[in-house]
């Protein structure tokens, strides 16, 4: 192990180095191999992870609960409705109390009134706790999803993955979703020096803070960032088309966003037409759940290019690595 992350929060990848991110991935691959062999790795025996879900979840909840069990620990699920948060207990008091009971806390919080509000609350919780806080998705970033995604890219593309054409694209959906996935992918690729093509219609630019960080990181790591507003240009010779919907980070409210995006519904639904332009051996990625018929056609997500279920599985292994590295005592 090249780095020591014990006690560190996992809220934004901007707090991490490329070496730390690759260490998480190396541990994830090792745990996956051990799991396949049926080996026991109770690295977190008698440890407890608390999980606050202010929004619904399938993959995040199940992968964290299963991961803690496989690591010999235990995970507890809470919603705001079954905590004193329902009676307006502050996030600060909630965090301070939970720190006395738990070894780490995972929080999933997004879809609030304005972009950035969920991150502000996440930071408030971080300040109040004395245990690692893990971001299970807020309105700015989804670092846990990203670790599974990068793991999948390394697995499928091999040693030369950094120089493959990886497209992170907007896709149409009637639902206005968090930009957490593309923003986490941007940061991870910039820190690891991996080439990335961002594709989105005008109006769906990523957060200025994330763009500035990535541009500075790329100067040091030597990767290349390409931006286009043409999904067909992005798809041409692509090795990976990773496409999902996200909402505006620049002041468009949800009602405006839902109306504005309708004009992009046809071209920005990933279909066989996009993969005809991609490399013969190429992959479709999505964090799930996908809006079938909006973000992607059934033919693509159920077809030979799709690796969405490999992605979903790798959430388990990547998050186990995060948990083990953050929660393990010296």
């Amino acid at each position: 192990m090249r780095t020591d992350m014990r006690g560190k929060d996992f809220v934004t990848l901007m707090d991490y180095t490329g070496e730390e991110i690759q260490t998480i991935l190396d541990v994830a691959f090792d745990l996956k191999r051990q799991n396949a062999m049926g080996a026991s790795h109770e690295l977190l025996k008698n440890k407890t992870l608390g999980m606050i879900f202010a929004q619904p979840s399938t993959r995040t909840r199940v992968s964290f609960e299963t991961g803690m069990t496989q690591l010999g620990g235990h995970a507890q699920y809470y919603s705001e409705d079954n905590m004193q948060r329902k009676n307006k207990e502050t996030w600060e008091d909630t965090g301070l109390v939970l720190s006395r009971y738990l070894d780490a806390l995972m929080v999933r919080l997004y879809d609030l009134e304005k972009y950035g509000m969920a991150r502000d609350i996440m930071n408030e919780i971080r300040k109040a706790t004395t245990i690692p806080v893990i971001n299970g998705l807020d309105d700015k970033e989804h670092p846990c999803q990203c670790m599974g995604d990068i793991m999948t890219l390394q697995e499928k593309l091999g040693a030369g993955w950094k120089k493959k054409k990886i497209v992170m694209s907007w896709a149409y959906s009637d639902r206005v979703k968090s930009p957490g996935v593309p923003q986490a992918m941007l940061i991870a690729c910039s820190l690891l020096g991996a080439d990335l093509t961002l594709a989105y219609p005008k109006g769906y630019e990523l957060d200025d803070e994330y763009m500035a960080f990535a541009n500075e990181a790329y100067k040091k790591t030597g990767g290349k960032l390409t931006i286009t507003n043409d999904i067909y240009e992005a798809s041409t010779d692509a090795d990976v088309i990773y496409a999902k919907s996200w909402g505006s980070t620049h002041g468009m409210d949800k009602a405006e966003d839902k109306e504005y995006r309708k004009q992009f519904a046809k071209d920005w639904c990933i279909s066989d037409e996009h993969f005809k332009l991609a490399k013969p051996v190429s992959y479709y990625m999505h964090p799930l759940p996908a809006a079938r018929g909006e973000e992607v056609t059934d033919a693509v997500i159920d077809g030979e290019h799709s690796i969405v279920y490999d992605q979903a599985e790798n959430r388990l292994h990547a998050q186990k690595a995060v948990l083990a590295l953050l929660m393990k005592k010296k």
Side-chain angles (χ1 to χ4, degrees), residues 13-291:
L13 295 177
M14 290 187 284
D15 290 340
Y16 282 72
T17 65
E19 183 181 29
E20 287 174 323
I21 291 171
Q22 189 56 55
T23 296
I24 293 169
L25 295 166
D26 291 344
V27 172
F29 279 116
D30 186 49
L31 291 174
K32 184 174 183 176
R33 283 189 292 270
Q34 290 185 46
N35 193 65
M37 294 185 296
S40 175
H41 42 251
E42 295 191 338
L43 299 173
L44 299 180
K45 188 175 182 179
N46 297 325
K47 299 284 187 181
T48 302
L49 171 71
M51 305 187 301
I52 299 177
F53 284 89
Q55 292 293 336
S57 170
T58 299
R59 280 148 292 276
T60 298
R61 178 179 177 179
V62 176
S63 57
F64 268 114
E65 287 190 359
T66 302
M68 282 299 294
T69 299
Q70 291 183 0
L71 291 168
H74 177 66
Q76 298 177 347
Y77 170 88
Y78 330 119
S79 71
E80 284 194 85
D81 285 342
N82 63 24
M83 302 175 72
Q84 288 297 339
R85 277 288 307 156
K86 186 174 183 179
N87 295 319
K88 309 302 182 185
E89 182 173 24
T90 66
W91 283 110
E92 181 180 17
D93 285 346
T94 300
L96 284 167
V97 169
L98 291 179
S99 290
R100 301 296 180 101
Y101 302 141
L102 303 171
D103 298 289
L105 178 65
M106 193 286 303
V107 182
R108 183 178 178 90
L109 178 68
Y110 65 97
D111 202 23
L112 301 183
E113 183 181 350
K114 291 182 180 179
Y115 174 74
M117 289 177 66
R119 176 56 60 85
D120 291 342
I121 293 171
M122 192 77 70
N123 285 331
E124 186 179 341
I125 296 169
R126 289 179 74 178
K127 290 176 183 176
T129 57
T130 57
I131 55 176
V133 174
I134 299 169
N135 182 355
L137 175 58
D138 67 6
D139 54 1
K140 290 195 172 187
E141 200 169 332
H142 200 349
C144 293
Q145 176 68 50
C146 185
M147 290 298 93
D149 294 341
I150 298 291
M151 184 179 181
T152 306
L153 289 171
Q154 292 186 356
E155 209 168 44
K156 299 296 182 181
L157 300 179
W161 76 278
K162 292 182 183 181
K163 291 304 173 186
K164 300 290 187 179
K165 187 174 181 181
I166 300 165
V167 178
M168 182 73 244
S169 175
W170 188 88
Y172 173 74
S173 172
D174 180 62
R175 180 182 165 203
V176 179
K177 301 181 182 182
S178 165
V181 167
Q183 291 185 168
M185 182 64 73
L186 173 65
I187 298 304
C189 287
S190 70
L191 289 169
L192 292 169
D195 293 350
L196 183 68
T197 297
L198 280 178
Y200 49 78
K202 290 181 179 179
Y204 293 101
E205 293 79 10
L206 298 185
D207 189 313
D208 292 341
E209 177 189 9
Y210 281 78
M211 291 300 301
F213 182 98
N215 284 325
E216 285 302 310
Y218 269 123
K219 290 178 184 177
K220 299 173 184 176
T221 60
K224 180 182 178 184
L225 177 63
T226 302
I227 297 174
T228 178
N229 301 126
D230 185 335
I231 182 57
Y232 298 105
E233 177 186 322
S235 301
T236 301
D237 294 325
D239 292 284
V240 174
I241 301 175
Y242 187 165
K244 74 171 301 293
S245 175
W246 68 78
S248 168
T249 67
H250 288 78
M252 200 187 310
D253 66 34
K254 286 184 180 178
E256 292 174 313
D257 194 330
K258 289 188 77 166
E259 187 61 32
Y260 175 74
R261 64 179 48 215
K262 290 178 181 177
Q263 64 189 297
F264 307 116
K266 180 178 180 294
D267 288 336
W268 295 78
C269 173
I270 303 304
S271 69
D272 287 334
E273 295 305 307
H274 299 91
F275 274 94
K276 286 177 184 176
L277 299 171
K279 296 270 182 65
V281 177
S282 52
Y283 301 104
Y284 168 75
M285 295 176 68
H286 191 286
L288 301 180

